């Protein structure tokens, strides 16, 4: 879940086109053994095959309709647990396009998926209107409101470290919430005591701002 200096993926070039090759049985996936133990609130999986299957299910789903796009798969190696997919060029998530990720995440939840790993680097914005999900190895089908709230908790954690200024964070967070429109159940689950292990990583000022903003959705 947390960005580090290693990766399971690498960019390859073939016939003057860029692709991303991801192999799940590398040592770089060991982080999930620690994350799944400490962040027990969400059913994270560490097993490479399970992560492989989860990502395939998400990328091969054909129900995406409005805002969300996923990369096309070029090759699937079920023996080595590797995939090769198209390289999606796009813009990073920032304060200018925050409504697009809010709308996209709402669509993902409405379709019936949760992601678990909603750090900002797992998304890119395409053509200023589409949310491309480029990492979904912890996703699975679920309408559980708590898991939807967990997606928001993780996302806002990373956003709070990207936008340090509290006034700016408040403005951007409000625009996100006005687009996503969490109902009272998601808002209640967001601040559930079960999330204390992740809430403890928040800057206190940013968490206070979120509590005030989300109180409008009770």
């Amino acid at each position: 879940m947390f960005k580090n200096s290693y990766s399971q993926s690498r960019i390859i070039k073939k016939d003057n086109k860029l692709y991303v090759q991801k192999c799940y049985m590398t040592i770089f996936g060991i982080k999930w053994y620690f994350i799944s133990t400490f962040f027990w609130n969400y059913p994270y999986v560490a097993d490479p095959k399970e992560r492989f299957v989860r990502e395939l299910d998400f990328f091969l789903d054909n129900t995406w309709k409005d805002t969300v796009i996923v990369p096309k798969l070029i090759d699937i190696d079920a023996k080595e647990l590797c995939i090769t997919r198209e390289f999606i060029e796009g813009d990073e998530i920032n304060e200018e396009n925050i409504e697009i990720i809010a709308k996209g995440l709402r669509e993902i939840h409405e379709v019936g998926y949760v992601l678990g790993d909603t750090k900002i680097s797992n998304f890119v914005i395409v053509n200023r209107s589409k949310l491309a999900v480029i990492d979904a190895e912890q996703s699975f089908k679920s309408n559980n409101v708590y898991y939807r709230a967990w997606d928001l908790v993780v996302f806002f954690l990373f956003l709070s470290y990207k936008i340090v200024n509290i006034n700016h964070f408040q403005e951007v967070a409000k625009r996100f919430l006005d687009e996503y429109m969490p109902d009272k159940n998601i808002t209640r689950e967001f601040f559930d005591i079960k999330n204390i292990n992740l809430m403890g990583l928040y800057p206190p000022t940013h968490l206070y701002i979120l509590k005030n903003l989300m109180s409008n959705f009770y």
Side-chain angles (χ1 to χ4, degrees):
M1 184 170 60
F2 299 101
K3 187 173 179 63
N4 41 50
S5 59
Y6 50 77
S7 174
Q8 301 172 102
S9 304
R10 65 189 183 101
I11 298 175
I12 59 176
K13 190 173 184 179
K14 184 177 181 181
D15 299 328
N16 291 320
K17 291 185 178 180
L18 295 178
Y19 301 95
V20 176
Q21 186 178 71
K22 183 173 183 177
C23 294
Y24 301 79
M25 287 197 297
T26 65
I27 192 173
F28 305 132
I30 197 172
K31 62 179 181 179
W32 290 115
Y33 288 95
F34 298 101
I35 290 171
S36 60
T37 300
F38 188 72
F39 296 104
W40 46 265
N41 318 58
Y42 182 92
Y44 292 109
V45 292
D47 181 75
K49 186 175 182 179
E50 290 185 60
R51 291 185 284 113
F52 171 78
V53 170
R54 282 193 179 191
E55 191 147 66
L56 281 182
D57 286 346
F58 189 88
F59 286 164
L60 291 174
D61 196 296
N62 60 4
T63 57
W64 310 117
K65 46 189 178 181
D66 186 17
T67 302
V68 177
I69 60 176
V70 296
K72 295 177 182 177
L73 298 179
I74 308 301
D75 183 65
I76 300 171
D77 188 334
K79 182 179 180 181
E80 298 297 327
L81 298 183
C82 294
I83 64 170
T84 302
R85 62 167 178 82
E86 67 172 332
F87 176 82
I88 297 182
E89 292 192 52
D91 300 319
E92 293 182 357
I93 301 297
N94 57 51
E95 58 271 24
E96 300 300 325
N97 53 38
I98 198 72
E99 287 92 348
I100 299 173
I101 191 170
K103 187 176 181 180
L105 189 54
R106 186 180 68 220
E107 179 181 321
I108 289 168
H109 289 165
E110 288 175 349
V111 166
Y113 277 96
V114 289
L115 293 173
D117 187 8
T118 48
K119 66 175 180 282
I120 293 171
S121 59
N122 284 345
F123 309 97
V124 294
I125 303 298
V126 178
N127 297 327
R128 299 183 179 180
S129 62
K130 300 285 187 179
L131 179 69
V133 182
I134 56 175
D135 189 316
E137 64 180 288
Q138 294 296 340
S139 66
F140 69 100
K141 279 274 192 180
S142 174
N143 289 313
N144 189 308
V145 175
Y146 176 75
Y147 297 151
R148 292 180 177 183
W150 181 259
D151 276 352
L152 297 184
V153 174
V154 174
F155 175 76
F156 276 120
L157 173 64
F158 284 94
L159 188 67
S160 70
Y161 282 97
K162 182 178 179 65
I163 304 178
V164 178
N165 182 278
I166 57 174
N167 291 325
H168 193 195
F169 176 81
Q170 180 172 335
E171 184 265 328
V172 174
K174 183 178 186 304
R175 285 167 43 210
F176 179 99
L177 292 169
D178 286 345
E179 180 64 48
Y180 181 90
M181 292 293 291
D183 62 27
K184 63 180 180 180
N185 295 318
I186 289 180
T187 301
R188 184 166 49 246
E189 296 288 1
F190 187 101
F191 292 102
D192 192 281
I193 190 64
K194 295 193 297 293
N195 298 334
I196 191 66
N197 53 358
L198 195 57
M199 291 290 188
L201 301 176
Y202 267 82
T205 51
H206 291 59
L207 191 58
Y208 178 77
I209 286 170
L210 283 173
K211 191 167 186 178
N212 285 338
L213 289 174
M214 296 185 76
S215 66
N216 297 321
F217 296 94
Y218 275 104

